[in-house]
């Protein structure tokens, strides 16, 4: 039947001929063309890499959005920034040359505003650019100049343009080229929650003329500018350099983060390769108004501050929370409910208007009494900062590692969320029996719950898996992202320290080694000894230590707990410990460190005092350090002081006799407070004593117990007070400073040190007062002699017939060891100090009292 076959062929050819203009492969769309939802053919780029068509709106599937999409269906641009039309709507190129998005009602929702500008046709280019061109082919309008939320390869995003997504806005700052993310809800103040230049060498110093952001085909996000010879790298995609048939792009996502992606042709999905905001919970408004952002271990989750709130939309926790009872109609009083480890996010411009320097109690009360205040946050990072939230939209972040306490105003009574590991999720509960509302218990429950959950998860996932290394590395990354300490495997640490080769030092808790992590971060790895503690308890202590953040405290990066191995990974301090600067002339053969100028010494003293103040007064669980000494004061490359080894004492096995003492306190001779030996309670004031000795050494440049001819064969600390009484301050100061010191400051520091080393703990100032005294904020009285005649210590030591000078009781190589009440301790102390400047550490124990001991 040849005729029939011929007819078929004709029909087929006919069909093809008819279809061709409809499919419009790269062909120009003439004036009058239009696209409709439903089944009209898409406009395609020449090789069909991109298409323009209507698709279902993400917000409501019954409506449609006109988008340019990459092959497979990843949208990169949409008409009217995603405005949705009903089934009667269309996208049409009018006879005047205006591209319009029209709703079924006939209303024009968006237009390119190009009527009567000579537009003769529209074309979708192979790059994804939608072009309205004139008769000579010039671009009158192009979608690349009017981006919605995405910038693709070969597109240039210049300053002055916006990417928008919901309430979020991304721009490139004109002068600095900084990437800027804002929350800009209509009717509310615009909040800038991210503003960063990615390349320090590039942002440091220059003013750009018209920076532009591009996504290079190799996956590098870069910035170009007329003042720059070559593009500057802003970010590397994690699959940077990989080739293949794919499209790369950056996008402002609906969650307020700015990310780089790659999408394989035809896959219809995009894989994240980089994100600007590492911590999603820091995106303002991510969880809506009054929403609390936290991590469930793998992902950010939204919850409500307390049971006084309910989700605004139970189907979408990101829409925030509303009070069950409005504040204006409280039946009784309103009250401030305390939220631990929670922070109400405060960015510019709020940060400029809402911050005050008050204590935590005042932070609560000021908000309670302020009629427009809805919540407040007290930072516990040593700054004493309080943020009062008066705006109508507040956004919160909760994490065990956040050093801040917040308060939210609710109708009395405040009903806290049940204590579950997680962020303010009110739905789940656990039969833990922890039904007490005692705040400390709640916190404990949350922390231990988290730690336990992590441990169980780790055990289940990684313990017996052959892919243990990779899995744990990935898990570590997640943990890092959520602010918790990173868990390392013993093998990882062995590798990073090259088999524990480069020893940095040895402290009371074990040796410290230099290591380099996989991401090239240099760290100090402490191999703990004498730890027989359970895994759970160890992890709880680690969580506490790592949640203690302060500029003047060494940061714990991670830990390892495998079998009997217990290691802690700290940030590495380039400039070593204070002792090497102060005492470089004595003992040590490798004493090549330069003398520290007075201004640095003073800054180190103040920084150290701030760090200890934070431990004593500002963090939740008060920590008595028990071993303040120059060896434990480390210096970073800018000579910022960082106190190390805090909170470790609890880790030591109490059964280890080397560490067993009267009250199980650790300490180092010469820096031990007198009450330590007198079997009296150890309080924060014991640290003040040790600090005073360190301060004195910082001024004098020698150990407080050094005995020399030029100190009349007296201990330096005793001699120094005598000289001070004689008015000879200049004689006490380190000779190497050679008159290069602010003498008023020296005298003040000297007075503070004598106040600190008072024999009676009640006579010593608190660390907070020490900071104020050093800074000159507080008046200083003349200090009395450190040893008072009617002290408790005289009473105990007098019987021994040892010199009544408290100072000499402590450590002098020539004096006999003082008798002490505890036979255990006596044994320890009787061991004379070695000739080297290092001192034998006697015993150790961490002390954490729930209440600081404050007398002054
Ligand atoms: C379209 O594909 C052909 C064959 O793969 C290629 O030669 C041509 O360069 C492509 N055109 C564009 C604009 O990419
Ligand atoms: C378009 O019309 C539909 C129904 O008439 C309506 O639901 C929708 O909100 C309109 N879109 C816009 C952007 O006004
Ligand atoms: C077409 O547009 C280009 C660029 O906008 C312009 O330079 C050119 O003069 C225009 N040509 C006509 C015929 O309008
Ligand atoms: C970008 O956003 C800002 C703030 O919303 C607005 O003032 C500006 O006109 C926008 N620019 C463009 C090109 O849309
Ligand atoms: C740009 O970002 C840097 C931090 O990366 C910041 O210090 C600087 O102030 C920002 N510049 C502007 C103009 O906002
Ligand atoms: C900034 O520029 C000034 C003058 O050009 C230069 O002296 C200074 O070293 C630069 N600072 C940085 C951090 O590059
Ligand atoms: C900073 O920019 C330079 C030059 O573009 C690049 O080599 C370097 O890797 C960038 N640094 C970072 C951290 O991206
Ligand atoms: C965390 O939350 C995400 C998103 O809600 C969910 O997919 C994931 O399963 C949760 N993970 C855990 C461990 O609960
Ligand atoms: C309201 O609070 C104040 C101060 O806490 C208290 O004195 C007063 O009795 C309370 N009133 C009611 C009705 O609870
Ligand atoms: C390297 O990794 C550690 C732990 O994983 C992390 O704390 C640190 O910030 C990382 N450093 C850099 C530069 O990313
Ligand atoms: C001095 O340095 C050498 C090599 O760096 C080291 O072996 C030695 O122990 C050091 N001596 C002292 C006293 O620190
Ligand atoms: C100590 O700090 C100074 C000043 O920042 C720096 O020049 C020096 O290289 C540092 N020393 C070491 C050993 O890193």
């Amino acid at each position: 039947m040849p005729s029939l076959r011929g007819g078929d062929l004709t029909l087929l050819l006919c069909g093809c001929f008819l279809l061709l203009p409809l499919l419009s492969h790269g062909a120009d769309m003439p004036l009058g063309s239009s696209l409709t939802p439903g089944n009209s053919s898409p406009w395609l780029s020449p090789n069909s890499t991109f298409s323009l068509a209507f698709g279902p709106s993400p917000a409501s599937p019954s409506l449609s959005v006109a988008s340019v999409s990459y092959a497979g269906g990843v949208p990169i641009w949409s008409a009217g920034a995603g405005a949705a039309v009903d089934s009667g709507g269309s996208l049409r190129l009018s006879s005047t040359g205006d591209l319009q998005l029209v709703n079924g009602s006939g209303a024009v929702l968006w237009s390119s505003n190009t009527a009567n500008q000579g537009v003769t046709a529209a074309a979708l280019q192979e790059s994804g650019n939608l072009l309205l061109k004139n008769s000579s082919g010039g671009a009158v309008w192009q979608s690349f100049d009017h981006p919605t939320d995405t910038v693709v390869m070969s597109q240039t995003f210049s300053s002055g343009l916006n990417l928008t997504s919901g309430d979020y806005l991304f721009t490139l700052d004109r002068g600095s080229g900084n990437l800027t993310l804002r929350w800009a809800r209509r009717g509310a103040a615009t909040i800038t929650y991210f503003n960063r230049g990615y390349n320090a060498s590039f942002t440091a110093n220059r003013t750009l003329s018209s920076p532009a952001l591009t996504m290079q085909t190799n996956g590098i996000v870069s910035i170009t500018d007329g003042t720059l010879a070559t593009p500057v790298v802003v970010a590397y995609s994690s699959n940077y350099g990989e080739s293949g048939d794919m499209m790369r792009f950056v996008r402002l996502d609906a969650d307020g983060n700015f990310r780089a992606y790659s999408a394989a042709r035809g896959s219809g999905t995009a894989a994240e390769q980089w994100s600007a905001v590492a911590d999603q919970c820091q995106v303002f408004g991510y969880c809506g108004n009054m929403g609390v952002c936290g991590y469930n271990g793998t992902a950010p989750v939204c919850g409500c501050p307390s049971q006084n709130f309910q989700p605004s939309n139970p189907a979408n926790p990101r829409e925030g929370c509303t009070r069950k009872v409005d504040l204006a109609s409280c039946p009784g009083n309103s009250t401030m409910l305390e939220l631990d480890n929670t922070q109400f996010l405060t960015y510019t411009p709020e940060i400029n208007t809402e911050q005050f320097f008050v204590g935590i109690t005042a932070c609560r009360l000021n908000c309670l009494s302020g009629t427009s205040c809805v919540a407040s946050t007290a930072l516990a990072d040593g700054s004493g900062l309080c943020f009062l939230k008066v705006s109508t939209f507040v956004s919160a972040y909760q994490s065990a590692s956040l050093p801040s306490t917040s308060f939210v105003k609710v109708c009395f009574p405040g009903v806290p969320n049940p204590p579950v590991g997680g962020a303010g999720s009110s739905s789940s509960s656990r039969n833990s029996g922890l039904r007490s509302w005692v705040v400390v218990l709640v916190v404990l429950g949350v922390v231990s719950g988290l730690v336990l959950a992590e441990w169980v998860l780790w055990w289940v996932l990684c313990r017996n898996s052959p892919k243990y290394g990779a899995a744990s590395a990935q898990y570590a990354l997640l943990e890092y992202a959520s602010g918790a300490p990173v868990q390392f495997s013993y093998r990882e640490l062995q590798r990073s320290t090259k088999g524990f080769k480069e020893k940095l030092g040895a402290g009371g808790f074990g040796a410290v080694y230099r290591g380099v992590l996989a991401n090239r971060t240099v760290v100090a790895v402490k191999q703990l000894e004498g730890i027989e503690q359970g895994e759970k308890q160890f992890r709880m202590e680690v969580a506490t230590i790592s949640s203690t953040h302060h500029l003047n405290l060494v940061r714990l990066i991670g830990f390892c707990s495998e079998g009997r191995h217990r290691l802690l990974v700290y940030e590495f301090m380039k400039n070593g410990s204070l002792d090497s600067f102060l005492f470089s002339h004595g003992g040590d053969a490798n004493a090549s460190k330069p003398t520290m100028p007075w201004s640095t010494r003073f800054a180190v003293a103040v920084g150290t005092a701030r760090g200890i103040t934070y431990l004593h007064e500002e963090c939740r669980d008060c920590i008595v350090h028990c071993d303040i000494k120059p060896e434990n004061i480390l210096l970073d490359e800018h000579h910022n002081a960082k106190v190390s080894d805090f909170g470790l004492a609890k880790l030591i096995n109490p059964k280890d006799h080397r560490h067993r003492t009267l009250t199980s306190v650790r300490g180092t001779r010469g820096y031990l407070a007198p009450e330590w030996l007198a079997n009296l309670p150890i309080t924060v004031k014991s640290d003040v004593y040790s600090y005073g000795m360190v301060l004195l050494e910082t001024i004098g440049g020698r150990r407080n117990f050094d005995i020399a001819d030029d100190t009349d064969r007296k201990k330096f600390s005793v001699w120094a007070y005598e000289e001070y009484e004689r008015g000879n301050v200049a004689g006490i100061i380190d000779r190497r400073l050679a008159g290069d010191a602010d003498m008023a400051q020296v005298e003040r520091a000297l007075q503070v040190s004598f106040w600190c080393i008072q024999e009676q703990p009640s006579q010593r100032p608190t660390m907070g007062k020490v900071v104020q005294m050093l800074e000159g904020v507080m008046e200083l009285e003349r200090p009395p002699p450190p040893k008072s005649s009617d002290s408790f210590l005289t009473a105990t030591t007098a019987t021994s017939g040892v010199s009544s000078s408290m100072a000499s009781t402590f450590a002098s190589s020539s004096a006999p060891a003082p008798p002490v009440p505890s036979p255990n301790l006596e044994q320890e102390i009787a061991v004379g100090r070695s000739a080297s400047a290092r001192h034998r550490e006697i015993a150790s124990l961490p002390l954490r009292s729930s209440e600081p001991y404050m007398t002054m």
Side-chain angles (χ1 to χ4, degrees):
M1 294 184 255
S3 71
L4 225 142
R5 210 179 286 153
D8 270 357
L9 205 68
T10 322
L11 221 106
L12 211 72
L13 282 171
C14 227
C16 286
F17 182 72
L18 283 172
L19 275 173
L20 268 175
L22 276 177
L23 281 171
S24 61
H25 269 265
D28 289 355
M29 305 305 295
L31 296 185
S33 306
S34 74
L35 263 179
T36 54
N39 52 9
S40 85
S41 316
W43 298 358
L44 295 170
S45 65
N47 278 354
S48 305
T49 303
F50 289 91
S51 61
L52 173 58
F54 276 99
S57 157
S60 102
S62 66
L63 300 179
S64 302
V65 174
S67 306
V68 173
S69 303
Y70 179 63
V74 178
I76 64 154
W77 179 85
S78 59
V85 299
D86 53 22
S87 58
S90 65
L91 181 71
R92 66 177 188 222
L93 185 59
S94 75
S95 54
T96 56
D98 197 19
L99 187 64
Q100 298 175 328
L101 182 68
V102 186
N103 208 352
S105 58
V108 176
L109 302 182
W110 170 84
S111 130
S112 62
N113 293 319
T114 50
N116 304 317
Q117 289 181 19
V119 173
T120 56
L124 186 57
Q125 298 183 308
E126 195 54 19
S127 60
N129 191 15
L130 178 63
L131 196 67
L132 299 182
K133 50 189 179 182
N134 61 18
S135 54
S136 60
V140 177
W141 181 96
Q142 50 186 334
S143 63
F144 273 12
D145 290 342
H146 299 85
T148 51
D149 58 4
T150 303
V151 177
V152 297
M153 303 181 294
S154 75
Q155 183 173 359
T156 298
F157 180 82
S158 48
S159 56
L161 296 182
N162 296 335
L163 296 183
T164 53
S165 191
D167 290 328
Y168 297 105
L169 186 68
F170 170 84
T171 54
L172 206 55
D173 185 71
R174 186 178 298 277
S176 62
N178 277 8
L179 313 189
T180 313
L181 288 167
R182 296 193 173 87
W183 178 87
R185 178 170 289 188
R186 205 182 291 268
T190 299
I191 305 290
T192 304
Y193 57 90
F194 184 88
N195 176 8
R196 238 159 97 182
Y198 255 84
N199 199 314
S201 61
F202 153 68
T203 45
N205 220 351
R206 66 171 84 227
T207 304
L208 303 177
S209 54
S210 56
L213 182 100
T214 54
M215 167 55 103
Q216 299 179 8
T217 50
N218 61 6
I220 290 181
V221 182
S222 61
I223 285 187
T224 54
D225 184 71
T227 65
L228 297 169
T230 54
V232 177
V233 175
V234 165
Y236 294 90
S237 295
S238 50
N239 66 352
Y240 144 76
E242 285 174 24
S243 52
D245 195 1
M246 63 173 150
M247 176 193 56
R248 296 177 183 275
F249 61 95
V250 287
R251 183 168 72 197
L252 173 61
D253 285 316
D255 63 7
N257 211 333
F258 182 69
R259 298 189 176 89
Y261 290 92
S262 67
R265 182 189 290 265
S267 70
T269 57
E272 178 183 334
Q273 303 296 345
W274 170 80
S275 68
V277 187
D279 185 346
Q280 181 62 36
C281 282
Q282 288 180 352
V283 171
F284 190 84
Y286 174 69
C287 284
N289 192 16
M290 277 294 169
V292 183
C293 185
Y295 289 91
N296 69 358
T298 56
V301 289
C302 294
C304 292
S306 76
Q307 308 226 319
N308 304 73
F309 293 81
Q310 62 197 9
S312 302
N313 173 4
N316 183 3
R318 279 201 53 207
E319 286 184 22
C321 302
T322 44
R323 287 187 174 80
K324 289 177 181 166
V325 182
D326 205 48
L327 282 181
S329 44
C330 282
N333 266 346
S334 53
T335 180
M336 300 303 290
L337 183 74
E338 184 170 333
L339 308 169
D340 293 307
N341 302 106
T342 304
Q343 194 174 351
F344 282 97
L345 298 177
T346 308
Y347 298 110
T348 46
E350 286 184 316
I351 197 142
N352 304 324
T353 57
E354 290 184 357
Q355 64 174 21
F356 305 91
F357 292 90
V358 297
I360 183 163
T361 311
C363 194
R364 175 180 178 272
L365 293 178
N366 286 0
C367 185
L368 185 59
S369 58
T371 47
S372 55
C373 185
V374 293
S376 63
T377 290
L379 295 189
D381 60 357
S383 65
L385 266 181
C386 166
F387 298 107
L388 298 183
K389 309 300 288 186
V390 295
S391 75
T392 52
F393 190 104
V394 296
S395 188
Y397 181 5
Q398 183 185 53
S399 158
S401 66
L402 280 183
S404 49
T405 299
S406 288
F407 301 94
V408 63
K409 199 186 276 183
V410 293
C411 292
F412 190 83
V415 188
N417 285 330
V420 239
S425 144
S426 56
S427 55
S428 50
S429 67
R430 201 175 44 179
N431 290 334
S432 61
L434 265 179
R435 280 291 165 207
S436 160
W437 298 129
V438 178
V439 168
V440 173
L441 283 187
V442 171
V443 170
L444 241 126
V446 170
V447 169
S448 63
L450 271 173
V451 167
L452 213 76
E454 274 174 13
W455 165 228
V456 167
L457 201 73
W458 176 81
W459 181 273
V460 168
L461 289 182
C462 317
R463 189 63 188 175
N464 298 315
S465 155
K467 284 169 112 186
Y468 166 68
S472 96
Q474 209 169 9
Y475 184 55
L477 203 73
L478 290 171
E479 275 190 302
Y480 172 60
S482 67
V486 177
Q487 171 167 357
F488 296 95
S489 71
Y490 187 68
R491 268 190 28 218
E492 250 174 294
L493 293 183
Q494 224 170 7
R495 207 177 319 126
S496 61
T497 56
K498 301 208 182 89
F500 301 103
K501 220 169 79 199
E502 200 177 335
K503 196 163 174 173
L504 295 171
F509 298 110
V512 182
Y513 301 88
R514 186 177 186 275
V516 182
L517 296 184
N519 65 8
R520 297 208 212 114
T521 304
V522 183
V523 293
V525 179
K526 189 180 267 275
Q527 211 167 18
L528 295 173
E529 290 167 4
I531 305 233
E532 218 119 88
Q533 247 186 353
E535 180 97 23
K536 201 167 106 187
Q537 214 178 343
F538 176 72
R539 279 162 187 271
M540 281 180 61
E541 289 310 316
V542 165
T544 313
I545 295 172
S546 77
S547 71
T548 309
H549 293 291
H550 189 277
L551 179 68
N552 297 112
L553 296 178
V554 173
R555 189 170 74 89
L556 182 72
I557 291 174
F559 69 101
C560 164
S561 177
E562 244 178 62
R564 288 182 57 86
H565 298 299
R566 299 278 188 281
L567 299 99
L568 296 175
V569 181
Y570 286 100
E571 60 178 325
F572 182 75
M573 290 296 129
K574 280 216 178 96
N575 258 321
S577 54
L578 180 61
D579 58 330
S580 65
F581 288 93
L582 295 184
F583 316 125
S584 52
H585 56 315
D588 285 350
N590 295 351
S592 56
K593 292 241 172 119
T595 297
M596 194 181 254
W598 171 253
S599 57
T600 312
R601 290 188 196 207
F602 190 71
V604 165
V606 175
T608 305
R610 286 214 181 98
I612 304 170
T613 304
Y614 180 74
L615 290 178
H616 286 181
E617 301 173 17
E618 282 153 14
C619 70
R620 177 150 296 282
D621 294 317
C622 268
I623 296 174
V624 180
H625 189 293
C626 294
D627 199 13
I628 308 275
K629 55 180 174 176
E631 284 80 359
N632 279 339
I633 296 164
L634 305 184
L635 303 168
D636 70 9
E637 65 265 43
H638 308 298
H639 286 131
N640 289 318
K642 308 235 181 196
V643 178
S644 79
D645 275 15
F646 56 89
L648 290 191
K650 261 213 172 149
L651 295 174
I652 299 299
N653 175 18
K655 281 185 237 139
D656 187 338
H657 70 272
R658 284 180 305 156
H659 301 292
R660 200 169 80 214
T661 66
L662 17 152
T663 46
S664 41
V665 173
R666 94 185 231 100
T668 305
R669 293 180 65 165
Y671 302 93
L672 287 178
E675 62 265 33
W676 209 91
L677 297 181
N679 206 0
L680 289 164
I682 304 302
T683 68
V684 292
K685 292 296 183 71
S686 313
D687 281 350
V688 175
Y689 181 93
S690 310
Y691 174 80
M693 285 301 184
V694 173
L695 182 56
L696 189 58
E697 295 175 343
T698 307
I699 299 163
R702 50 175 116 194
R703 296 278 185 187
N704 69 75
F705 41 76
D706 271 354
I707 291 177
D709 286 330
D710 61 357
T711 57
D712 302 341
R713 309 260 359 130
K714 288 178 181 154
K715 289 207 325 171
F716 173 62
S717 57
V718 175
W719 175 83
Y721 186 77
E722 289 172 8
E723 290 304 301
Y724 168 74
E725 287 247 82
R726 273 191 219 124
N728 180 21
V729 172
I732 303 168
I733 189 168
D734 190 340
R735 262 180 240 127
R736 288 166 299 165
L737 291 172
D740 268 342
D742 176 345
M743 286 314 285
Q745 228 173 36
V746 171
E747 183 161 5
R748 201 158 70 227
L750 201 55
Q751 288 181 335
V752 172
S753 76
F754 290 135
W755 274 113
C756 289
I757 61 172
Q758 290 295 310
E759 190 177 348
Q760 285 289 354
S762 61
Q763 289 265 296
R764 300 173 206 151
T766 62
M767 278 320 288
K769 292 236 161 66
V770 166
V771 173
Q772 293 181 335
M773 288 169 166
L774 285 175
E775 288 176 336
V777 179
M778 208 175 128
E779 281 293 312
L780 260 171
E781 281 173 40
R782 212 178 158 74
K787 184 211 89 59
S788 60
S789 52
D790 56 351
S791 87
F792 62 86
L793 253 150
T794 316
T796 49
T797 53
T799 59
S800 72
V802 176
S803 151
S804 68
S805 155
M806 221 14 252
S808 62
T809 308
F810 277 99
S812 111
S813 47
S814 53
V820 272
S822 149
N824 258 336
L825 193 66
E826 183 170 9
Q827 233 178 14
E828 299 280 0
I829 293 200
V831 179
R833 129 180 116 82
S834 72
S836 93
R838 296 247 161 185
H839 297 280
R840 182 174 154 69
E841 292 174 354
I842 320 181
S844 63
L845 163 163
L847 257 202
R848 196 179 293 152
S849 65
S850 57
E851 269 210 329
Y853 176 82
M854 288 186 258
T855 352
M856 185 164 164

